[in-house]
Amino acid sequence: MEAASLSGVLSYTKLCGSSLYYSDDRFSRNLHLQAICRVGVYTLGENDVVESHHSHAMEEKIGVLLLNLGGPETLKDVQPFLYNLFADPDIIQLPGLFKLLQWPLAKLTSVLRAPKSEKGYAAIGGGSPLRKITDEQANALRMALEAKNVNVSVYVGMRYWYPFTEEVIEQIKLDRIKKLVVLPLYPQFSISTTGRD
């Protein structure tokens, strides 16, 4: 797979018309992606579009990975989902040696927060609809691309719940996908941590 190291995700990716644009502040510097569009295959790297390869017949399968945050599917999932959320250093940022407290603090916070969150999820049917919505988006995207004769597999990966992104990356490798388009469906950074949108 050309995107050999996916230690993080792109903060912004948009498939628009016949080209793909992306930008990132931390993770995509060593990420090499190729995207198929109506006029050819574009290789994207650190300097955006660096080369293009025009072809009339694209037989190699393209992978599209939709990234989302995930959410608890049942009320029993709420506390472990919250633990995964609060264990992320991008959510709770601790300085210096206090970083060693990340996981105990995540456990404590998730246990204390779970009862209130469970009530909220119970009020909307007992779980998050995010997985279902993202699966529907993936299916609609796959059908739209196949209607344009694009040989594509669309995957869904979640940051804090199943299917975890790491597991989906392994599946993409097993499927021998060589060209991958990564589409995050959530903002990577908040104004409170970066001072910008």
Side-chain angles (χ1 to χ4, degrees):
M1 188 171 65
E2 297 218 9
S5 174
L6 288 178
S7 58
V9 297
L10 302 177
S11 62
Y12 174 72
T13 308
K14 179 173 67 176
L15 189 60
C16 180
S18 62
S19 52
L20 182 137
Y21 307 91
Y22 79 92
S23 64
D24 176 72
D25 291 322
R26 300 191 310 174
F27 297 118
S28 69
R29 296 298 179 228
N30 298 316
L31 196 60
H32 185 74
L33 298 178
Q34 289 187 332
I36 184 170
C37 306
R38 268 184 281 179
V39 294
V41 174
Y42 291 86
T43 301
L44 291 96
E46 197 170 341
N47 298 317
D48 250 347
V49 177
V50 285
E51 59 179 293
S52 80
H53 310 278
H54 294 280
S55 174
H56 296 292
M58 293 299 174
E59 297 179 5
E60 190 170 21
K61 182 165 279 194
I62 305 299
V64 179
L65 173 59
L66 302 186
L67 296 178
N68 219 328
L69 295 175
E73 295 177 20
T74 70
L75 295 181
K76 290 192 304 184
D77 299 334
V78 171
Q79 188 274 321
F81 165 76
L82 290 175
Y83 172 80
N84 293 338
L85 180 70
F86 295 129
D88 184 348
D90 285 335
I91 301 298
I92 297 178
Q93 298 179 352
L94 300 174
L97 291 176
F98 288 104
K99 291 179 181 178
L100 298 174
L101 298 174
Q102 185 80 43
W103 295 277
L105 184 58
K107 181 69 171 179
L108 176 63
T109 307
S110 66
V111 169
L112 293 176
R113 181 68 186 262
K116 182 177 180 181
S117 295
E118 286 172 5
K119 289 179 184 177
Y121 284 113
I124 61 169
S128 169
L130 195 58
R131 170 70 187 276
K132 178 177 180 287
I133 292 168
T134 308
D135 284 344
E136 289 170 354
Q137 289 175 309
N139 190 47
L141 178 60
R142 179 187 57 77
M143 290 191 298
L145 290 172
E146 286 178 349
K148 295 180 180 294
N149 297 316
V150 176
N151 188 11
V152 66
S153 287
V154 182
Y155 304 87
V156 170
M158 300 293 183
R159 185 162 181 170
Y160 301 122
W161 203 243
Y162 299 100
F164 289 111
T165 305
E166 295 83 1
E167 299 168 353
V168 179
I169 292 296
E170 290 307 311
Q171 183 59 54
I172 291 169
K173 289 178 181 177
L174 288 173
D175 291 346
R176 299 181 183 275
I177 298 295
K178 302 295 183 187
K179 298 182 180 89
L180 181 66
V181 179
V182 180
L183 297 173
L185 303 180
Y186 61 92
Q188 179 66 27
F189 305 108
S190 68
I191 295 173
S192 63
T193 58
T194 65
R196 60 186 174 79
D197 293 321

Coordinates of all heavy atoms in Angstrom, one line a residue, residues 45-127:
G45 N 1.4 14.3 -2.7 CA 2.4 14.2 -1.6 C 2.5 15.5 -0.9 O 1.6 16.2 -0.8
E46 N 3.7 15.8 -0.3 CA 3.9 16.9 0.5 C 3.5 18.2 -0.2 O 3.1 19.2 0.4 CB 5.3 17.0 1.0 CG 5.5 17.8 2.2 CD 6.9 17.6 2.8 OE1 7.5 16.6 2.5 OE2 7.3 18.5 3.5
N47 N 3.8 18.3 -1.5 CA 3.6 19.5 -2.3 C 2.3 19.5 -3.1 O 2.2 20.0 -4.2 CB 4.8 19.8 -3.2 CG 6.0 20.0 -2.3 OD1 6.0 20.7 -1.3 ND2 7.1 19.4 -2.8
D48 N 1.3 18.8 -2.6 CA 0.0 18.7 -3.2 C 0.2 17.8 -4.5 O 0.8 16.8 -4.4 CB -0.7 20.0 -3.6 CG -1.9 20.2 -2.7 OD1 -2.4 19.3 -2.1 OD2 -2.4 21.4 -2.7
V49 N -0.3 18.3 -5.7 CA -0.2 17.4 -6.9 C 1.2 17.5 -7.4 O 1.7 18.6 -7.7 CB -1.2 17.9 -7.9 CG1 -1.0 17.1 -9.2 CG2 -2.6 17.8 -7.4
V50 N 1.9 16.4 -7.4 CA 3.3 16.4 -7.9 C 3.5 15.8 -9.3 O 4.4 16.1 -10.0 CB 4.2 15.7 -6.9 CG1 4.5 16.6 -5.7 CG2 3.7 14.4 -6.5
E51 N 2.5 14.9 -9.7 CA 2.6 14.4 -11.0 C 1.3 13.8 -11.3 O 0.5 13.5 -10.5 CB 3.7 13.3 -11.1 CG 3.5 12.1 -10.2 CD 4.6 11.1 -10.3 OE1 4.6 10.5 -11.4 OE2 5.4 10.9 -9.4
S52 N 1.0 13.6 -12.6 CA -0.3 13.0 -13.0 C 0.0 11.9 -14.1 O 0.9 12.1 -14.9 CB -1.3 14.0 -13.5 OG -1.0 14.3 -14.8
H53 N -0.8 10.9 -14.0 CA -0.7 9.8 -15.0 C -2.0 9.6 -15.6 O -3.0 9.1 -15.0 CB -0.3 8.5 -14.3 CG 0.9 8.7 -13.4 ND1 2.2 8.7 -13.8 CD2 1.0 8.9 -12.0 CE1 3.0 8.8 -12.8 NE2 2.3 9.0 -11.7
H54 N -2.2 10.0 -16.9 CA -3.4 9.9 -17.6 C -3.6 8.5 -18.1 O -2.7 7.9 -18.6 CB -3.5 10.9 -18.7 CG -3.5 12.3 -18.2 ND1 -4.7 12.9 -17.7 CD2 -2.5 13.2 -18.1 CE1 -4.4 14.1 -17.4 NE2 -3.1 14.3 -17.6
S55 N -4.8 7.9 -18.0 CA -5.1 6.6 -18.4 C -6.6 6.5 -18.8 O -7.4 7.0 -18.1 CB -4.7 5.6 -17.4 OG -5.1 4.3 -17.8
H56 N -6.9 5.8 -19.8 CA -8.3 5.6 -20.2 C -8.9 4.4 -19.5 O -10.1 4.3 -19.4 CB -8.4 5.5 -21.7 CG -7.9 6.7 -22.5 ND1 -8.6 7.9 -22.4 CD2 -6.8 7.0 -23.2 CE1 -8.0 8.8 -23.1 NE2 -6.9 8.3 -23.6
A57 N -8.1 3.4 -19.2 CA -8.6 2.2 -18.5 C -8.0 2.0 -17.2 O -6.8 1.7 -17.1 CB -8.4 1.0 -19.4
M58 N -8.7 2.2 -16.1 CA -8.2 2.1 -14.8 C -8.7 0.7 -14.2 O -9.8 0.6 -13.9 CB -8.7 3.2 -13.9 CG -8.1 4.6 -14.2 SD -6.3 4.5 -14.1 CE -5.9 6.1 -14.8
E59 N -7.8 -0.3 -14.2 CA -8.2 -1.6 -13.8 C -7.9 -1.8 -12.3 O -8.5 -2.6 -11.7 CB -7.6 -2.6 -14.7 CG -8.1 -2.5 -16.1 CD -7.4 -3.6 -17.0 OE1 -6.7 -4.4 -16.5 OE2 -7.6 -3.6 -18.2
E60 N -6.9 -1.2 -11.8 CA -6.5 -1.4 -10.5 C -7.5 -0.8 -9.5 O -8.0 0.3 -9.7 CB -5.1 -0.8 -10.2 CG -4.5 -1.1 -8.9 CD -3.1 -0.7 -8.7 OE1 -2.7 0.2 -9.5 OE2 -2.3 -1.3 -7.9
K61 N -7.8 -1.6 -8.5 CA -8.8 -1.2 -7.5 C -8.3 0.0 -6.7 O -7.2 0.0 -6.2 CB -9.3 -2.3 -6.6 CG -10.4 -2.0 -5.7 CD -11.0 -3.2 -5.1 CE -12.1 -3.7 -6.0 NZ -13.0 -4.7 -5.4
I62 N -9.2 1.0 -6.5 CA -8.9 2.1 -5.6 C -9.6 1.9 -4.3 O -10.7 1.4 -4.2 CB -9.5 3.4 -6.2 CG1 -8.9 3.6 -7.7 CG2 -9.2 4.6 -5.4 CD1 -7.5 3.8 -7.8
G63 N -8.9 2.2 -3.2 CA -9.5 2.2 -1.9 C -9.9 3.5 -1.4 O -9.1 4.5 -1.6
V64 N -11.0 3.7 -0.8 CA -11.4 4.9 -0.2 C -11.7 4.6 1.3 O -12.5 3.7 1.6 CB -12.7 5.5 -0.8 CG1 -13.1 6.8 -0.1 CG2 -12.4 5.8 -2.3
L65 N -11.1 5.3 2.2 CA -11.3 5.1 3.6 C -12.0 6.3 4.2 O -11.4 7.4 4.2 CB -9.9 4.9 4.3 CG -9.9 4.8 5.8 CD1 -10.7 3.6 6.3 CD2 -8.4 4.6 6.3
L66 N -13.2 6.1 4.7 CA -13.9 7.1 5.5 C -13.6 7.0 6.9 O -13.7 5.9 7.5 CB -15.4 6.9 5.3 CG -16.0 6.9 3.9 CD1 -17.5 6.9 3.9 CD2 -15.5 8.1 3.1
L67 N -13.0 8.1 7.5 CA -12.7 8.1 8.9 C -13.7 8.9 9.7 O -14.1 9.9 9.3 CB -11.3 8.7 9.1 CG -10.1 8.0 8.5 CD1 -8.8 8.8 8.7 CD2 -10.0 6.6 9.0
N68 N -14.1 8.3 10.8 CA -15.0 9.0 11.7 C -14.7 8.7 13.2 O -13.8 7.9 13.4 CB -16.5 8.6 11.4 CG -17.4 9.8 11.5 OD1 -17.2 10.7 12.3 ND2 -18.5 9.8 10.7
L69 N -15.3 9.4 14.1 CA -15.0 9.2 15.5 C -15.5 7.9 16.1 O -14.9 7.4 17.0 CB -15.5 10.4 16.3 CG -14.9 11.8 16.0 CD1 -15.6 12.9 16.8 CD2 -13.4 11.8 16.3
G70 N -16.6 7.5 15.6 CA -17.3 6.3 16.2 C -18.1 6.7 17.4 O -18.1 7.9 17.8
G71 N -18.9 5.7 17.9 CA -19.7 6.0 19.0 C -20.2 4.7 19.6 O -20.2 3.7 18.9
P72 N -20.7 4.7 20.9 CA -21.2 3.4 21.5 C -22.4 3.0 20.8 O -23.3 3.7 20.6 CB -21.4 3.9 22.9 CG -21.7 5.3 22.9 CD -20.8 5.8 21.7
E73 N -22.5 1.7 20.4 CA -23.6 1.1 19.8 C -24.7 0.7 20.7 O -25.9 0.5 20.4 CB -23.2 0.0 18.8 CG -22.3 0.5 17.7 CD -21.8 -0.6 16.8 OE1 -22.4 -1.7 16.8 OE2 -20.7 -0.3 16.1
T74 N -24.3 0.4 22.0 CA -25.2 0.0 23.0 C -24.9 0.8 24.3 O -23.8 1.4 24.4 CB -25.2 -1.5 23.3 OG1 -23.9 -1.8 24.0 CG2 -25.3 -2.4 22.1
L75 N -25.7 0.7 25.3 CA -25.4 1.4 26.5 C -24.2 0.8 27.3 O -23.5 1.5 28.0 CB -26.7 1.5 27.4 CG -27.9 2.3 26.9 CD1 -29.0 2.2 27.9 CD2 -27.5 3.7 26.6
K76 N -24.0 -0.5 27.1 CA -22.9 -1.1 27.7 C -21.5 -0.6 27.1 O -20.5 -0.7 27.7 CB -22.9 -2.7 27.5 CG -24.0 -3.3 28.4 CD -23.9 -4.8 28.4 CE -23.8 -5.4 27.0 NZ -23.8 -6.9 27.0
D77 N -21.6 -0.1 25.9 CA -20.4 0.4 25.2 C -20.0 1.8 25.6 O -18.9 2.2 25.3 CB -20.6 0.4 23.7 CG -21.0 -0.9 23.1 OD1 -20.5 -1.9 23.7 OD2 -21.6 -1.0 22.0
V78 N -20.9 2.5 26.4 CA -20.6 3.9 26.6 C -19.3 4.1 27.4 O -18.5 4.9 27.0 CB -21.8 4.5 27.4 CG1 -21.5 6.0 27.8 CG2 -23.0 4.6 26.4
Q79 N -19.2 3.4 28.5 CA -18.0 3.7 29.3 C -16.7 3.3 28.6 O -15.7 4.1 28.6 CB -18.1 2.9 30.7 CG -17.0 3.2 31.7 CD -15.7 2.4 31.5 OE1 -15.8 1.2 31.2 NE2 -14.6 3.0 31.6
P80 N -16.6 2.1 28.0 CA -15.3 1.9 27.2 C -15.1 2.8 26.1 O -13.9 3.2 25.8 CB -15.5 0.4 26.7 CG -16.9 0.0 26.9 CD -17.4 0.9 28.0
F81 N -16.2 3.3 25.4 CA -16.0 4.3 24.4 C -15.4 5.6 24.9 O -14.5 6.2 24.4 CB -17.4 4.6 23.7 CG -17.4 5.8 22.9 CD1 -16.7 5.9 21.6 CD2 -18.0 7.0 23.3 CE1 -16.7 7.0 20.9 CE2 -17.9 8.2 22.6 CZ -17.3 8.2 21.3
L82 N -16.0 6.0 26.1 CA -15.5 7.2 26.7 C -14.0 7.1 27.1 O -13.2 8.0 27.1 CB -16.4 7.6 27.9 CG -17.8 8.1 27.6 CD1 -18.6 8.3 28.9 CD2 -17.7 9.4 26.8
Y83 N -13.7 5.9 27.6 CA -12.3 5.6 28.0 C -11.4 5.9 26.7 O -10.3 6.5 26.8 CB -12.1 4.2 28.5 CG -10.6 3.9 28.7 CD1 -9.9 4.4 29.8 CD2 -9.9 3.2 27.7 CE1 -8.5 4.2 29.9 CE2 -8.5 3.0 27.9 CZ -7.9 3.4 29.0 OH -6.5 3.2 29.1
N84 N -11.7 5.3 25.6 CA -10.9 5.4 24.4 C -10.8 6.9 24.0 O -9.8 7.4 23.6 CB -11.6 4.7 23.2 CG -11.5 3.2 23.4 OD1 -10.7 2.7 24.2 ND2 -12.4 2.5 22.8
L85 N -11.9 7.6 24.2 CA -12.0 9.1 23.9 C -11.0 9.9 24.8 O -10.2 10.6 24.3 CB -13.4 9.6 24.0 CG -13.6 11.1 23.7 CD1 -13.5 11.4 22.2 CD2 -15.0 11.5 24.2
F86 N -11.1 9.7 26.1 CA -10.3 10.5 27.0 C -8.9 10.0 27.1 O -8.0 10.7 27.6 CB -11.0 10.4 28.4 CG -12.3 11.1 28.4 CD1 -13.4 10.5 29.0 CD2 -12.5 12.4 27.9 CE1 -14.7 11.1 29.0 CE2 -13.7 13.0 27.9 CZ -14.8 12.4 28.4
A87 N -8.6 8.8 26.6 CA -7.2 8.3 26.6 C -6.4 8.9 25.5 O -5.2 8.8 25.4 CB -7.2 6.8 26.5
D88 N -7.1 9.6 24.6 CA -6.4 10.2 23.4 C -5.8 11.5 23.9 O -6.4 12.4 24.4 CB -7.5 10.5 22.3 CG -6.9 11.1 21.1 OD1 -5.7 11.5 21.1 OD2 -7.6 11.2 20.1
P89 N -4.4 11.6 23.7 CA -3.7 12.8 24.2 C -4.2 14.1 23.4 O -3.9 15.2 23.9 CB -2.3 12.5 23.9 CG -2.2 11.1 23.5 CD -3.5 10.6 23.2
D90 N -4.9 14.0 22.3 CA -5.4 15.1 21.6 C -6.7 15.7 22.3 O -7.1 16.8 22.1 CB -5.8 14.8 20.2 CG -4.5 14.7 19.3 OD1 -3.5 15.3 19.7 OD2 -4.6 14.1 18.3
I91 N -7.3 14.8 23.1 CA -8.5 15.2 23.9 C -8.1 15.8 25.2 O -8.6 16.9 25.6 CB -9.5 14.1 24.0 CG1 -9.9 13.5 22.7 CG2 -10.7 14.5 24.9 CD1 -10.6 14.5 21.8
I92 N -7.4 15.1 26.0 CA -6.8 15.6 27.3 C -5.3 15.7 27.1 O -4.6 14.7 27.0 CB -7.2 14.7 28.4 CG1 -8.7 14.6 28.6 CG2 -6.6 15.1 29.7 CD1 -9.2 13.7 29.7
Q93 N -4.8 16.9 27.1 CA -3.4 17.2 26.9 C -2.7 17.5 28.3 O -3.0 18.5 28.9 CB -3.2 18.3 26.0 CG -3.8 18.0 24.6 CD -3.6 19.2 23.6 OE1 -3.2 20.3 24.0 NE2 -4.0 18.9 22.4
L94 N -1.9 16.6 28.7 CA -1.2 16.7 30.0 C 0.3 17.1 29.7 O 0.9 16.5 28.8 CB -1.3 15.4 30.8 CG -2.7 15.0 31.1 CD1 -2.7 13.6 31.8 CD2 -3.4 16.0 32.0
P95 N 0.8 18.0 30.5 CA 2.2 18.4 30.3 C 3.2 17.4 30.9 O 2.9 16.8 31.9 CB 2.3 19.8 30.9 CG 1.3 19.7 32.0 CD 0.2 18.8 31.5
G96 N 4.4 17.3 30.3 CA 5.6 16.6 30.9 C 5.3 15.3 31.5 O 4.6 14.4 30.8
L97 N 5.7 15.1 32.7 CA 5.6 13.8 33.4 C 4.1 13.4 33.7 O 3.8 12.3 33.9 CB 6.4 13.7 34.6 CG 7.9 13.7 34.4 CD1 8.7 13.7 35.7 CD2 8.3 12.4 33.6
F98 N 3.2 14.4 33.7 CA 1.8 14.2 34.0 C 1.2 13.3 32.9 O 0.1 12.8 33.1 CB 1.1 15.5 34.1 CG 1.4 16.2 35.4 CD1 2.2 17.4 35.4 CD2 0.8 15.8 36.6 CE1 2.5 18.0 36.5 CE2 1.1 16.5 37.8 CZ 1.9 17.6 37.7
K99 N 1.9 13.2 31.7 CA 1.4 12.3 30.7 C 1.2 10.9 31.1 O 0.5 10.1 30.6 CB 2.3 12.4 29.4 CG 2.2 13.8 28.7 CD 3.2 13.8 27.5 CE 3.1 15.2 26.9 NZ 4.0 15.3 25.7
L100 N 2.0 10.5 32.1 CA 1.9 9.2 32.7 C 0.6 8.9 33.3 O 0.2 7.8 33.5 CB 3.0 8.9 33.7 CG 4.5 9.0 33.2 CD1 5.5 8.9 34.3 CD2 4.7 7.9 32.1
L101 N -0.2 10.0 33.6 CA -1.5 9.9 34.3 C -2.6 9.8 33.2 O -3.8 9.7 33.6 CB -1.7 11.1 35.2 CG -0.8 11.2 36.4 CD1 -1.1 12.5 37.1 CD2 -0.9 10.0 37.3
Q102 N -2.2 9.8 31.9 CA -3.2 9.8 30.9 C -4.3 8.7 31.0 O -5.5 9.0 31.0 CB -2.6 9.7 29.5 CG -3.5 9.9 28.3 CD -3.9 11.3 28.0 OE1 -3.0 12.2 28.0 NE2 -5.1 11.6 27.8
W103 N -3.8 7.5 31.1 CA -4.7 6.3 31.2 C -5.5 6.2 32.5 O -6.7 6.0 32.4 CB -4.0 5.1 30.8 CG -3.5 5.2 29.4 CD1 -4.2 4.9 28.2 CD2 -2.2 5.7 28.9 NE1 -3.4 5.2 27.1 CE2 -2.2 5.6 27.5 CE3 -1.0 6.1 29.6 CZ2 -1.1 6.0 26.8 CZ3 0.0 6.5 28.9 CH2 0.0 6.5 27.5
P104 N -4.9 6.4 33.6 CA -5.7 6.4 34.9 C -6.7 7.5 34.9 O -7.9 7.3 35.3 CB -4.6 6.6 36.0 CG -3.4 6.1 35.4 CD -3.4 6.4 33.9
L105 N -6.3 8.7 34.4 CA -7.3 9.8 34.3 C -8.4 9.5 33.4 O -9.6 9.8 33.6 CB -6.6 11.1 34.0 CG -7.4 12.4 34.0 CD1 -8.0 12.6 35.3 CD2 -6.5 13.5 33.5
A106 N -8.1 8.9 32.2 CA -9.1 8.5 31.3 C -10.1 7.5 31.9 O -11.3 7.6 31.7 CB -8.5 7.9 30.0
K107 N -9.6 6.6 32.6 CA -10.4 5.6 33.3 C -11.4 6.2 34.3 O -12.6 6.0 34.3 CB -9.6 4.5 34.0 CG -10.3 3.4 34.7 CD -11.0 2.5 33.7 CE -11.6 1.3 34.4 NZ -12.3 0.4 33.4
L108 N -10.8 7.1 35.1 CA -11.6 7.8 36.1 C -12.7 8.7 35.5 O -13.9 8.6 35.9 CB -10.7 8.6 37.0 CG -11.4 9.5 38.1 CD1 -12.2 8.6 39.1 CD2 -10.4 10.4 38.8
T109 N -12.3 9.4 34.5 CA -13.2 10.3 33.8 C -14.3 9.6 33.1 O -15.5 10.0 33.2 CB -12.5 11.2 32.8 OG1 -11.4 11.9 33.4 CG2 -13.4 12.2 32.2
S110 N -14.0 8.5 32.5 CA -15.0 7.7 31.7 C -16.0 7.1 32.7 O -17.2 7.0 32.4 CB -14.3 6.6 30.9 OG -13.7 5.6 31.7
V111 N -15.5 6.6 33.8 CA -16.4 6.0 34.8 C -17.4 7.0 35.4 O -18.6 6.8 35.6 CB -15.6 5.3 36.0 CG1 -16.5 4.9 37.1 CG2 -14.9 4.0 35.4
L112 N -16.8 8.2 35.7 CA -17.7 9.3 36.3 C -18.6 9.9 35.3 O -19.8 10.2 35.6 CB -16.8 10.4 36.8 CG -15.9 10.1 38.0 CD1 -15.0 11.2 38.4 CD2 -16.7 9.6 39.2
R113 N -18.2 9.9 34.0 CA -19.1 10.5 33.0 C -20.1 9.6 32.4 O -21.1 10.0 31.9 CB -18.2 11.1 31.9 CG -18.9 11.7 30.7 CD -19.5 13.0 31.1 NE -20.3 13.6 30.1 CZ -19.8 14.6 29.3 NH1 -18.6 15.1 29.4 NH2 -20.6 15.0 28.3
A114 N -19.8 8.3 32.5 CA -20.7 7.3 31.8 C -22.2 7.4 32.2 O -23.0 7.3 31.3 CB -20.2 5.9 32.1
P115 N -22.6 7.5 33.5 CA -24.0 7.5 33.8 C -24.7 8.6 33.1 O -25.8 8.4 32.5 CB -24.0 7.7 35.3 CG -22.7 7.1 35.8 CD -21.7 7.4 34.7
K116 N -24.2 9.8 33.0 CA -24.8 10.9 32.4 C -24.9 10.7 30.9 O -25.9 11.0 30.2 CB -24.1 12.2 32.7 CG -24.7 13.5 32.0 CD -23.9 14.7 32.4 CE -24.6 16.0 31.8 NZ -23.9 17.2 32.1
S117 N -23.8 10.2 30.3 CA -23.8 9.9 28.8 C -24.8 8.8 28.5 O -25.4 8.9 27.4 CB -22.4 9.6 28.4 OG -21.5 10.6 28.5
E118 N -24.9 7.8 29.3 CA -25.8 6.7 29.1 C -27.3 7.2 29.0 O -28.0 6.8 28.1 CB -25.7 5.7 30.2 CG -24.5 4.8 30.1 CD -24.3 3.9 31.3 OE1 -25.2 3.9 32.1 OE2 -23.2 3.2 31.3
K119 N -27.6 8.2 29.8 CA -28.9 8.8 29.7 C -29.1 9.5 28.4 O -30.2 9.4 27.8 CB -29.1 9.8 30.9 CG -29.3 9.2 32.2 CD -29.4 10.2 33.3 CE -29.5 9.5 34.7 NZ -29.6 10.6 35.8
G120 N -28.1 10.2 27.9 CA -28.2 10.9 26.7 C -28.4 9.9 25.5 O -29.2 10.1 24.6
Y121 N -27.6 8.8 25.5 CA -27.7 7.8 24.5 C -29.0 7.0 24.6 O -29.6 6.7 23.5 CB -26.5 6.9 24.5 CG -25.3 7.5 23.9 CD1 -24.2 7.7 24.7 CD2 -25.2 7.8 22.6 CE1 -23.0 8.3 24.2 CE2 -24.0 8.3 22.0 CZ -23.0 8.6 22.9 OH -21.8 9.1 22.3
A122 N -29.5 6.8 25.8 CA -30.8 6.1 25.9 C -31.9 7.0 25.3 O -32.9 6.4 24.7 CB -31.1 5.9 27.4
A123 N -31.8 8.3 25.4 CA -32.8 9.2 24.9 C -32.9 9.2 23.4 O -33.9 9.6 22.8 CB -32.6 10.6 25.4
I124 N -31.8 8.8 22.7 CA -31.8 8.7 21.2 C -31.8 7.3 20.7 O -31.4 7.0 19.6 CB -30.6 9.5 20.6 CG1 -29.3 8.9 21.1 CG2 -30.7 11.0 21.0 CD1 -28.0 9.5 20.4
G125 N -32.3 6.4 21.5 CA -32.5 5.0 21.0 C -31.5 4.0 21.6 O -31.5 2.8 21.2
G126 N -30.6 4.3 22.5 CA -29.8 3.4 23.2 C -28.3 3.3 22.6 O -27.6 2.4 23.1
G127 N -28.0 4.1 21.7 CA -26.6 4.1 21.1 C -26.5 5.2 20.1 O -27.4 5.9 19.8

